[in-house]
Amino acid sequence: MDTESEQQAASTDVLSSAAHAARLVMLKTMDEKIRYACEALGQPSTSDVIAFLMTYGVVTNPKRERAYVATQVDKWRTERGLGDTGDLPRLSAELLTELDNRRAAEESAAAEKQAAETTPAPPKTTTATKRRSTPEGSRGFYLVALMSLLVSVDTSWRFFGIKLGITSIYERAAMFAVVEVALIACGFAMRAGIRSASGKPGPARLILWALCFASGYMAFDLAGPVSGLARVTLGPVLGVVMLHLALGIELRHRRTRVTTWSRVSRELKERFLSRLGLGDDERDALARTRDRAARRAAHLARASWMTPFRKVRLARALRSANAAHDDRMRARLMAELAAVQHADELRRLDLASPWSDSLANTLKYLRS
């Protein structure tokens, strides 16, 4: 029975192959042959169609004709609403088994990874704080800071002897360098603060500047304003600045929060610039100069004849405002002049009271 069934299947395949061959011979164009192969296969891919056509001798060079066949196959599938599967392999039983095994392996790996993430990690040992790199040229800055102390030492020695009247050499030697020793101590404290975890100089910075002002007082009292300025500039001030550069304080000690003093200083600066007419109103220097000249010309035009050099000043203001050639400045001048000329009419204007509308709105709100 098996032999007979196999013979029948073989004969059926032979007849089918003969029918396909006869049909392909009858077709004239390559497009028709490709479409026939697609209809014969049912769910064709480019590889299946090429293999079918190679079986019957239609395609002889698959590499050269593959692009054309793929285009026609995609067109045939699009006409019938079939998705483009490309050259995906057929889902056989072996392939499905392999895919199931691969998915199971991936799921087990994901479960192990999740379990490893949920397990608490051992606490990490804290390493020592990495030392901050010193700025370039720090040794030179330290050297200049030490040399500037010599000027401060000379000032202190003379101040203790001349102004404070300490004539004993030993007594003066034990007392005169108190400021310089304090400066050195503050320098070491700032260096330690910079190299700590916070990276800030700490209160030693404020004490350092206070000692600098004290040394400046001694210099001015000893040598006067001119020589004292040289002593304080080349002495403690230079030493403090060099120490800041050596430690890199200005680069590392940056505050992220806005302090009260910074807000006050910013507000004072803005008010001072606004008083000078230099507020940040997106005007350049020429526009500000012409606006001020137009305002000055309007006031001079309304000034009395007793104003000294009124005509000369008015002509100069008009030239500075460029009112003769600039339409905008001419309009600004006219508006300023009209405002000055009719300033007395402000007190005679009949305006509606703003309180009546506010009262009506309040009563309406209470009623609702």
Side-chain angles (χ1 to χ4, degrees):
M1 294 295 295
D2 295 337
T3 305
E4 293 179 359
S5 61
E6 290 176 0
Q7 291 178 355
Q8 291 178 0
S11 61
T12 303
D13 293 337
V14 171
L15 293 175
S16 177
S17 300
H20 290 323
R23 182 62 178 172
L24 289 172
V25 171
M26 294 175 60
L27 298 175
K28 297 181 180 180
T29 62
M30 187 65 178
D31 295 345
E32 294 176 351
K33 295 178 181 180
I34 295 174
R35 297 178 71 87
Y36 176 78
C38 293
E39 292 174 356
L41 295 174
Q43 292 287 339
S45 64
T46 304
S47 300
D48 295 337
V49 173
I50 291 177
F52 182 88
L53 296 177
M54 287 179 63
T55 303
Y56 298 101
V58 178
V59 174
T60 57
N61 192 349
K63 292 184 178 180
R64 185 180 60 185
E65 299 177 2
R66 184 179 184 84
Y68 183 78
V69 173
T71 304
Q72 297 300 323
V73 171
D74 293 339
K75 183 177 179 181
W76 184 87
R77 296 182 66 89
T78 303
E79 291 175 355
R80 286 156 179 76
L82 300 177
D84 186 11
T85 59
D87 291 335
L88 296 177
R90 295 184 180 275
L91 294 177
S92 59
E94 294 80 7
L95 183 58
L96 290 175
T97 304
E98 182 181 356
L99 292 176
D100 291 337
N101 296 334
R102 187 180 301 176
R103 184 174 61 180
E106 291 177 355
E107 289 177 355
S108 61
E112 292 176 359
K113 183 178 180 181
Q114 184 177 4
E117 291 177 353
T118 54
T119 303
K124 296 182 179 180
T125 57
T126 57
T127 58
T129 306
K130 186 183 294 185
R131 286 192 173 184
R132 297 176 179 267
S133 59
T134 57
E136 296 182 0
S138 59
R139 294 183 179 179
F141 294 143
Y142 281 126
L143 178 61
V144 176
L146 291 176
M147 293 175 63
S148 65
L149 287 180
L150 299 178
V151 181
S152 181
V153 164
D154 181 77
T155 302
S156 299
W157 178 267
R158 296 177 184 273
F159 181 81
F160 273 77
I162 298 174
K163 296 297 181 179
L164 298 183
I166 301 176
T167 57
S168 176
I169 301 298
Y170 298 102
E171 185 180 1
R172 194 193 308 180
M175 297 174 59
F176 82 101
V178 59
V179 176
E180 286 70 25
V181 174
L183 289 174
I184 295 174
C186 290
F188 279 108
M190 291 170 61
R191 185 170 181 266
I194 286 295
R195 294 193 173 188
S196 64
S198 62
K200 298 180 180 180
R205 185 185 189 185
L206 181 61
I207 299 174
L208 186 70
W209 282 108
L211 293 173
C212 180
F213 283 118
S215 180
Y217 165 75
M218 291 190 294
F220 281 109
D221 189 24
L222 177 66
V226 179
S227 300
L229 181 62
R231 281 181 174 272
V232 72
T233 303
L234 299 177
V237 172
L238 180 61
V240 171
V241 172
M242 290 296 105
L243 190 60
H244 276 66
L245 294 176
L247 297 176
I249 294 176
E250 302 302 331
L251 298 178
R252 295 170 181 166
H253 184 51
R254 296 179 180 178
R255 296 182 178 179
T256 56
R257 60 187 182 91
V258 180
T259 60
T260 304
W261 288 110
S262 63
R263 294 175 59 185
V264 170
S265 61
R266 189 184 304 112
E267 183 68 21
L268 291 177
K269 182 185 70 174
E270 293 295 333
R271 292 191 180 187
F272 178 72
L273 293 177
S274 177
R275 178 66 64 179
L276 295 179
L278 300 176
D280 189 8
D281 53 358
E282 298 181 357
R283 291 185 302 169
D284 54 4
L286 181 60
R288 291 192 179 95
T289 302
R290 289 182 175 179
D291 290 343
R292 285 196 294 266
R295 190 179 301 109
R296 188 167 58 252
H299 285 275
L300 287 173
R302 291 287 301 167
S304 63
W305 61 272
M306 297 180 62
T307 304
F309 306 105
R310 187 182 71 87
K311 292 184 178 180
V312 177
R313 292 167 60 189
L314 178 59
R316 186 183 303 167
L318 290 174
R319 286 194 301 270
S320 299
N322 198 25
H325 307 285
D326 193 344
D327 295 336
R328 187 184 69 85
M329 295 309 303
R330 190 184 304 113
R332 187 180 183 87
L333 174 61
M334 292 296 105
E336 190 75 28
L337 182 59
V340 174
Q341 185 175 358
H342 300 282
D344 295 336
E345 299 179 4
L346 286 175
R347 62 184 182 88
R348 294 193 296 270
L349 290 178
D350 188 11
L351 299 176
S353 175
W355 312 116
S356 59
D357 295 337
S358 300
L359 181 60
N361 293 333
T362 304
L363 294 176
K364 183 179 179 181
Y365 174 75
L366 292 176
R367 290 173 183 174
S368 61

